[in-house]
Amino acid sequence: MIFRRYGTSYQSVELNFDSKALNEVGFRRDHKQKITAEDFDSGYQHVVTTEMVAHAEGDVQDHTEQVLLDRLREQVEAALSALEAGSILVIENETGHDYPKTRQKTTNVIVQGENRLHFEYTVAPALRAAVYRPGG
């Protein structure tokens, strides 16, 4: 299960990675589980933090950005599937501070004598996901 901190509690979230959204790297609260920060701090111990980044290149802007987001999603899902029983994944990036955002670089290329755009997408800063297991 994935959690993010909202104020004084950690709440379960689901992935919402959408190239058409304002915040492409998004998480939506699913209201399945909620843990107060105090209970979380006393009941879980940090195991490891992983920084997730992705890269994509192509000649169609929206498609290229969605490929990037799909690659990032695969990394999060791989981290989820590797969790031990009872462990949780916590997204550590904070909105307004170090929240991951897609970055675009556009270049002009010549293909068969015609000018074309080439898009390159990255994520910066990296998406930080920490594994926590039960036990203070």
Side-chain angles (χ1 to χ4, degrees):
M1 186 167 277
I2 306 172
F3 283 82
R4 279 197 64 209
R5 185 172 182 151
Y6 293 94
T8 60
S9 67
Y10 287 83
Q11 297 182 29
S12 59
V13 295
E14 57 188 30
L15 301 176
N16 186 27
F17 292 2
D18 184 2
S19 63
K20 293 172 181 56
L22 182 60
N23 284 335
E24 299 90 348
V25 180
F27 298 91
R28 185 175 36 240
R29 285 185 260 199
D30 62 9
H31 303 287
K32 290 182 180 175
Q33 207 168 3
K34 181 178 179 179
I35 306 168
T36 66
E38 184 178 303
D39 289 344
F40 180 83
D41 292 339
S42 64
Y44 287 88
Q45 76 180 55
H46 180 264
V47 177
V48 67
T49 298
T50 305
E51 290 192 349
M52 301 176 186
V53 294
H55 178 265
E57 294 185 41
D59 56 359
V60 178
Q61 183 177 7
D62 183 59
H63 174 73
T64 305
E65 187 176 22
Q66 191 59 52
V67 167
L68 167 94
L69 295 170
D70 291 343
R71 289 176 179 165
L72 193 60
R73 174 188 298 274
E74 289 171 4
Q75 292 178 51
V76 173
E77 289 173 349
L80 270 175
S81 65
L83 288 177
E84 297 174 5
S87 295
I88 61 173
L89 193 67
V90 176
I91 303 303
E92 294 186 330
N93 300 83
E94 297 176 26
T95 304
H97 178 63
D98 63 347
Y99 200 75
K101 187 96 172 107
T102 59
R103 308 291 181 192
Q104 173 187 319
K105 179 181 174 187
T106 307
T107 54
N108 289 319
V109 294
I110 298 175
V111 177
Q112 297 177 349
E114 294 183 13
N115 283 331
R116 300 280 173 116
L117 292 176
H118 182 78
F119 300 95
E120 182 177 346
Y121 277 92
T122 56
V123 174
L127 177 64
R128 285 191 333 277
V131 174
Y132 285 83
R133 69 174 159 229

